Amino acid sequence: MNVTLIGAGNLATNLGKALLSTGFEINQVYSRTKKSAELLAGKLDCCFTNDIEEIKKDSDFYICSLKDTALEDVASNLSVNENAVVVHTAGSMPLDIIKTATTKHYGVLYPMQSFSKNKEVSFKEIPIFIEASDSKSMEIIKFVSSSISDKIIELSSEKRKYIHLSAVFVCNFVNYMYSIGADIVGLTNLDFNLLIPLIKETASKVEKMSPAESQTGPAVRYDENVINKHIELLKNKPEWAEIYRLLSDGIHNKAKLK
Amino acid sequence: MNVTLIGAGNLATNLGKALLSTGFEINQVYSRTKKSAELLAGKLDCCFTNDIEEIKKDSDFYICSLKDTALEDVASNLSVNENAVVVHTAGSMPLDIIKTATTKHYGVLYPMQSFSKNKEVSFKEIPIFIEASDSKSMEIIKFVSSSISDKIIELSSEKRKYIHLSAVFVCNFVNYMYSIGADIVGLTNLDFNLLIPLIKETASKVEKMSPAESQTGPAVRYDENVINKHIELLKNKPEWAEIYRLLSDGIHNKAKLK
């Protein structure tokens, strides 16, 4: 099967590599930025273009991994073979956004993971949420996604929005907490790596018990003495103090409900 | 060496087990609550009391793992042998809070980890931050802490406060993000375990790159389309919407500074 990647960002890079390694042929990479297209095409040993009209029509499968706002525009300009399947990979965009004029077959292939270009991930365990316009497309999307992952879940656009939202909390917001933690540790001239055992244990705990059960710290026992001291330490960082206050209140209110 | 545990909470439980397994003798457990004292004493094969005046004077090392606000009161009522060393385990409390009338030897032994009574942790990798009133106490505190961990760091009370604050962000607040994520996934009737690969990858990424480099998601690229949709999804949960907005602004502002 021939695959075209439309987009050359973190997700396209990781998907492209994973598909190539399981035997798919990458036909072409498109990106608005020539340099990005060329870079990824180099990694995947295929041709590239930055002109949407030069996207080749002879692929079986088109994966659009673009900024959400670019999807509609690309879909409406995309001209492909009538048997081709076109999918997008966005957590929060509806199925129909990727409908194109030239094929009736389209869908969604949303791998829930945090991708960086320079850190390879193993796709095997990553849940991929899929959706399709019709049964033939569904079959092909399943074939492609199950070649790289063991966890394929059919899910409506409506529910996928919530899954994406939860991913923002457990990944993007969590990483921001790491980032503030790193900045605070930096104030003492100690090394951020000292926090790694705590970070790993916190992540590992929720495999064994629910996050509500594993909650610890001053906020859950509402230790006002510690909370007030911490807020005092943040007096030169009012935005962190506000985060501290808001999250501590949330933790405390949740604990009270138990 | 004989150790007395003052307090029978999560940390006392984990410390007691770790010390017992490396050859220390646990002499006695004290807790205000008789049941907690008895339960932990049963696990550590020692006697217990819930009367502060019955704390035995013949231990070499007293570990006070109590709510911060209880430390001063217990320290002022504690009567021990003049050669004994008394330590507290609190991240945010100064060294002197644990000064007692009967011994000149006191200090701090703060293991930075999230402890639950029912999940055993390996102490080996956990950083323990220590501080002491005098060199003899420091020697003994080093001996005790290095018997259970390989990472012993001498640190002033002033700097320890910041380390504790950073731990609140990377552990307690992170766990609260997991908790909100779990509640949101619950709305779709999907299983929280689907988020585990994402949680693990997010934690593992910051071993390889800084949290600032590993930040992904709609906020870092300021994808207002997604951000607004997510806030709309949270319209019945205004407290989560406020957290979403505040953290997204923080991520975006930080990314702009890079």
Side-chain angles (χ1 to χ4, degrees):
Chain A
M1 244 174 108
N2 253 339
V3 176
T4 292
L5 295 173
I6 299 174
N10 296 347
L11 176 53
T13 301
N14 279 275
L15 263 179
K17 286 183 185 172
L19 289 170
L20 189 68
S21 75
T22 51
F24 288 86
E25 190 179 323
I26 311 298
N27 195 2
Q28 191 180 28
V29 171
Y30 161 84
S31 167
R32 260 192 324 182
T33 326
K34 196 182 165 194
K35 209 173 148 187
S36 309
E38 190 170 7
L39 187 70
L40 181 53
K43 289 177 189 168
L44 303 175
D45 197 23
C46 67
C47 62
F48 65 92
T49 179
N50 65 336
D51 180 350
I52 199 160
E53 292 183 5
E54 287 188 9
I55 292 178
K56 296 202 265 174
K57 289 177 205 261
D58 62 345
S59 277
D60 306 302
F61 204 77
Y62 292 79
I63 303 178
C64 300
S65 296
L66 299 162
K67 207 174 160 171
D68 288 5
T69 42
L71 282 176
E72 201 163 3
D73 190 45
V74 165
S76 65
N77 284 301
L78 192 63
S79 172
V80 300
N81 187 306
E82 63 172 1
N83 289 316
V85 178
V86 182
V87 299
H88 76 69
T89 57
S92 287
M93 297 302 277
L95 170 65
D96 285 343
I97 201 86
I98 201 64
K99 195 170 180 172
T100 59
T102 47
T103 173
K104 287 185 204 134
H105 306 299
Y106 56 94
V108 181
L109 187 164
Y110 167 57
M112 189 174 57
Q113 189 50 281
S114 164
F115 297 99
S116 297
K117 277 184 195 163
N118 300 320
K119 182 173 186 299
E120 258 182 64
V121 294
S122 154
F123 266 90
K124 274 289 159 220
E125 282 191 2
I126 299 178
I128 300 183
F129 298 93
I130 61 173
E131 193 180 6
S133 58
D134 60 288
S135 60
K136 189 212 147 193
S137 305
M138 181 53 91
E139 205 179 305
I140 293 172
I141 294 169
K142 266 189 192 160
F143 173 74
V144 174
S145 49
S146 62
S147 74
I148 51 173
S149 166
D150 293 334
K151 274 192 202 157
I152 311 304
I153 300 119
E154 279 187 53
L155 199 70
S156 67
S157 292
E158 188 53 31
K159 286 191 171 181
R160 182 164 25 83
K161 283 194 281 187
Y162 285 92
I163 287 293
H164 186 217
L165 176 58
S166 70
V168 169
F169 277 88
V170 307
C171 169
N172 308 147
F173 291 168
V174 160
N175 187 77
Y176 184 48
M177 297 297 106
Y178 297 159
S179 176
I180 296 176
D183 288 344
I184 295 171
V185 168
L187 298 174
T188 65
N189 293 321
L190 288 170
D191 194 64
F192 172 71
N193 285 330
L194 286 170
L195 295 174
I196 295 290
L198 181 59
I199 285 173
K200 282 165 79 175
E201 173 69 10
T202 305
S204 136
K205 266 180 147 177
V206 293
E207 292 183 70
K208 309 259 161 61
M209 50 182 121
S210 75
E213 287 168 305
S214 66
Q215 189 68 57
T216 56
V220 73
R221 49 178 201 269
Y222 216 65
D223 191 335
E224 278 186 278
N225 172 51
V226 176
I227 293 173
N228 292 335
K229 276 188 202 170
H230 281 168
I231 289 173
E232 172 65 20
L233 285 181
L234 294 173
K235 62 178 185 286
N236 296 322
K237 277 288 189 179
E239 63 280 22
W240 293 352
E242 199 184 341
I243 291 171
Y244 189 101
R245 216 175 271 117
L246 192 62
L247 298 185
S248 293
D249 286 351
I251 291 171
H252 180 57
N253 290 333
K254 175 143 196 171
K256 275 196 303 192
L257 292 174
K258 273 210 294 190
Chain B
M1 243 173 109
N2 253 339
V3 176
T4 292
L5 294 172
I6 299 175
N10 296 347
L11 176 53
T13 302
N14 278 276
L15 263 179
K17 286 181 184 172
L19 288 170
L20 189 67
S21 76
T22 49
F24 287 86
E25 190 179 321
I26 311 298
N27 194 3
Q28 191 181 28
V29 171
Y30 161 84
S31 166
R32 263 193 322 184
T33 325
K34 195 180 165 195
K35 210 172 146 187
S36 309
E38 189 170 7
L39 187 71
L40 181 52
K43 288 178 188 167
L44 301 176
D45 197 21
C46 67
C47 61
F48 66 92
T49 179
N50 66 335
D51 180 350
I52 199 159
E53 291 184 5
E54 286 188 9
I55 293 178
K56 296 204 265 175
K57 289 178 206 265
D58 62 344
S59 277
D60 305 301
F61 205 76
Y62 292 80
I63 303 178
C64 300
S65 296
L66 299 162
K67 208 173 158 173
D68 288 4
T69 43
L71 281 177
E72 201 163 4
D73 189 43
V74 165
S76 64
N77 284 301
L78 192 63
S79 173
V80 300
N81 186 305
E82 63 171 3
N83 289 316
V85 178
V86 182
V87 300
H88 76 70
T89 58
S92 287
M93 297 301 277
L95 170 65
D96 285 342
I97 201 86
I98 202 62
K99 194 170 180 172
T100 59
T102 47
T103 172
K104 284 185 206 135
H105 306 298
Y106 55 95
V108 181
L109 188 163
Y110 167 56
M112 189 174 60
Q113 189 52 282
S114 164
F115 297 99
S116 297
K117 277 184 194 162
N118 300 320
K119 182 173 188 298
E120 258 183 65
V121 295
S122 153
F123 265 90
K124 274 290 159 217
E125 282 192 3
I126 298 176
I128 300 183
F129 297 93
I130 61 172
E131 193 180 5
S133 59
D134 61 288
S135 60
K136 188 211 149 194
S137 306
M138 179 54 90
E139 205 178 304
I140 293 173
I141 294 168
K142 265 189 192 161
F143 173 74
V144 174
S145 50
S146 63
S147 74
I148 52 175
S149 165
D150 293 335
K151 273 193 202 156
I152 311 303
I153 300 119
E154 279 186 53
L155 199 70
S156 67
S157 292
E158 189 53 31
K159 286 190 169 180
R160 181 163 25 83
K161 284 194 282 188
Y162 285 93
I163 287 291
H164 186 218
L165 176 58
S166 70
V168 169
F169 276 89
V170 306
C171 169
N172 308 146
F173 291 167
V174 159
N175 187 77
Y176 184 48
M177 297 297 105
Y178 296 160
S179 176
I180 296 176
D183 288 344
I184 294 171
V185 167
L187 298 174
T188 64
N189 292 321
L190 288 170
D191 194 64
F192 172 70
N193 285 331
L194 285 171
L195 294 175
I196 296 290
L198 181 57
I199 285 173
K200 283 165 78 174
E201 173 69 10
T202 306
S204 135
K205 264 180 148 178
V206 291
E207 293 184 69
K208 309 260 161 60
M209 50 182 121
S210 75
E213 287 169 305
S214 65
Q215 189 68 57
T216 57
V220 73
R221 48 177 201 267
Y222 216 67
D223 190 335
E224 278 187 277
N225 171 52
V226 176
I227 293 173
N228 291 335
K229 277 189 201 169
H230 281 170
I231 289 173
E232 172 66 20
L233 285 181
L234 294 173
K235 61 177 183 289
N236 296 322
K237 278 287 189 180
E239 63 280 22
W240 293 352
E242 199 184 341
I243 291 170
Y244 189 102
R245 215 175 272 120
L246 193 61
L247 299 185
S248 293
D249 286 350
I251 291 170
H252 180 58
N253 290 334
K254 176 144 195 171
K256 274 196 303 192
L257 292 175
K258 273 209 297 191

